[in-house]
Amino acid sequence: LAQDASAMCLLALALGKNPNFPFVLCHNRDEDWLRPTEDPRDHGDGLIFPRDLEAGGSFVAVNLKTLAFGVLTNVLADIDRPEPQPSRGDLVVHCARQEKFTDLPSGAYSAFNLWHGRILEDGTADLRHTWNRPEKSVGWTTRSTSVSGPATLARSNEPHSELWPKSRWAMQEVEGIVETFRAEGGAEALRDAVCDRLCVSNEFPEASMPRPYSSYARWQELVMQRGPFVSRAKARAAGSVHGAEDWAYGTRSQVCLVVCMQTRLFHFSFRRTDHAAQTAGSWMTFVAPLPCARVPRPLALPATDRASL
């Protein structure tokens, strides 16, 4: 392979699209079925993330004390990545350990989309999108931009700025759900509505599919484009047709980050989908209060001034 055959995830984000839920981020993790990964847990000092037991990093990390976070998707391209490199999964942990993170070591990591920032007092986010992907005549290049709302965004593993059909579909569906969701429904009901919608495995017309974009075989690329939920069963069936006895691949888990202004709480939820039937499991949820607005302290006047009042 021209690059490592690693995760092909999908992220959808609604920022400032509903005043009751100003921040909603959903993430489908598509991965090798056999890659060992633990469930999210507390790694100390409020840091929560599911550790990838093969490479040591993660695809999402949150700090419940500062509400700093990082979420990762891969970039697939048909050119070699620089070698050797540390795990891209280190990036999200690095982000969650800091309130603000705007700069990355140049050239230290490649082939990633990184969404990172911190939840603010008003429930929105100080948010950045940092990415590394190949550019003509330059090669692998890291760039970063701030993200402001209102906006709905989605990104899978596109090696360019144009969205794939499954990313466009996910963006439109998430926007429609978030914009019309009523406050009394609550954060957990919104989480369920959005993530259940991202459990759909669409088959888009092949004419709308991107041109070959990676070191995967074309039949594998087409299976992974049946999203936003990648079916393990369809991957296995396609593999058997093309001589791969058991292509162990599919959507293994979902993550959802939601801010609810009615309760002023931040919710970080995780559920597995890597069961035999690939049905969604029970949610694990971690909750933290939003930061309090800073109230300016009154100025202390000199004693002579106070006496003259």
Side-chain angles (χ1 to χ4, degrees), residues 13-17 21-25 66-71 99-100 115-129 145-151 153 257-259 261 266 290-291:
L13 167 70
L15 182 64
K17 301 297 288 188
F21 306 99
F23 183 86
V24 181
L25 185 152
T66 65
L67 298 192
F69 62 89
V71 188
E99 286 196 355
K100 291 188 177 181
W115 306 82
H116 55 104
R118 181 174 61 90
I119 303 298
L120 303 175
E121 292 87 347
D122 63 359
T124 59
D126 178 10
L127 179 65
R128 296 192 70 82
H129 175 206
T145 185
S146 61
V147 180
S148 58
L153 309 167
L257 313 181
V258 179
V259 169
M261 294 307 293
F266 168 81
L290 294 185

Side-chain angles (χ1 to χ4, degrees), residues 221-241:
E221 290 185 343
L222 294 177
V223 168
M224 293 187 292
Q225 289 294 333
R226 295 172 181 168
F229 195 86
V230 179
S231 167
R232 169 76 174 89
K234 291 180 179 179
R236 180 189 293 114
S240 65
V241 170

Side-chain angles (χ1 to χ4, degrees), residues 62-302:
V62 170
N63 191 315
L64 295 183
K65 292 186 176 181
T66 65
L67 298 192
F69 62 89
V71 188
L72 189 74
T73 69
N74 187 14
V75 168
L76 292 179
D78 55 2
I79 66 173
D80 291 336
R81 291 179 60 206
E83 297 290 348
Q85 287 196 329
S87 169
R88 290 162 290 190
D90 294 339
L91 293 171
V92 296
V93 179
H94 190 105
C95 291
R97 283 181 172 148
Q98 303 179 54
E99 286 196 355
K100 291 188 177 181
F101 182 75
T102 56
D103 299 314
L104 291 170
S106 178
Y109 301 89
S110 67
F112 65 86
N113 285 292
L114 178 66
W115 306 82
H116 55 104
R118 181 174 61 90
I119 303 298
L120 303 175
E121 292 87 347
D122 63 359
T124 59
D126 178 10
L127 179 65
R128 296 192 70 82
H129 175 206
T130 301
W131 66 92
N132 178 279
R133 58 186 182 229
E135 296 184 3
K136 289 183 179 179
S137 73
V138 179
W140 291 99
T141 304
T142 299
R143 301 193 184 279
S144 186
T145 185
S146 61
V147 180
S148 58
T152 309
L153 309 167
R155 175 67 56 178
S156 182
N157 306 114
E158 294 90 339
H160 41 64
S161 58
E162 184 179 350
L163 293 183
W164 288 335
K166 68 175 185 176
S167 299
R168 288 196 299 270
W169 186 92
M171 181 174 66
Q172 293 166 0
E173 294 297 312
V174 168
E175 181 175 69
I177 293 171
V178 172
E179 283 187 333
T180 59
F181 203 83
R182 299 175 65 88
E184 55 267 27
E188 292 184 351
L190 175 57
R191 172 201 67 195
D192 291 348
V194 172
C195 289
D196 286 352
R197 192 61 181 144
L198 295 186
C199 284
V200 173
S201 182
N202 292 301
E203 295 196 26
F204 300 100
E206 187 167 349
S208 70
M209 293 293 99
R211 61 176 177 77
Y213 54 85
S214 75
S215 55
Y216 283 104
R218 185 57 175 168
W219 65 267
Q220 291 176 303
E221 290 185 343
L222 294 177
V223 168
M224 293 187 292
Q225 289 294 333
R226 295 172 181 168
F229 195 86
V230 179
S231 167
R232 169 76 174 89
K234 291 180 179 179
R236 180 189 293 114
S240 65
V241 170
H242 291 87
E245 183 177 343
D246 185 9
W247 183 32
Y249 196 86
T251 300
R252 294 192 56 184
S253 64
Q254 291 185 305
V255 162
C256 191
L257 313 181
V258 179
V259 169
C260 178
M261 294 307 293
Q262 190 173 50
T263 60
R264 290 195 58 81
L265 291 175
F266 168 81
H267 298 248
F268 168 35
S269 298
F270 168 93
R271 69 179 177 184
R272 287 188 172 274
T273 58
D274 54 1
H275 309 290
Q278 210 175 3
T279 54
S282 301
W283 287 106
M284 295 178 62
T285 299
F286 303 84
V287 179
L290 294 185
C292 295
R294 295 187 178 94
V295 179
R297 295 178 61 183
L299 292 175
L301 296 177

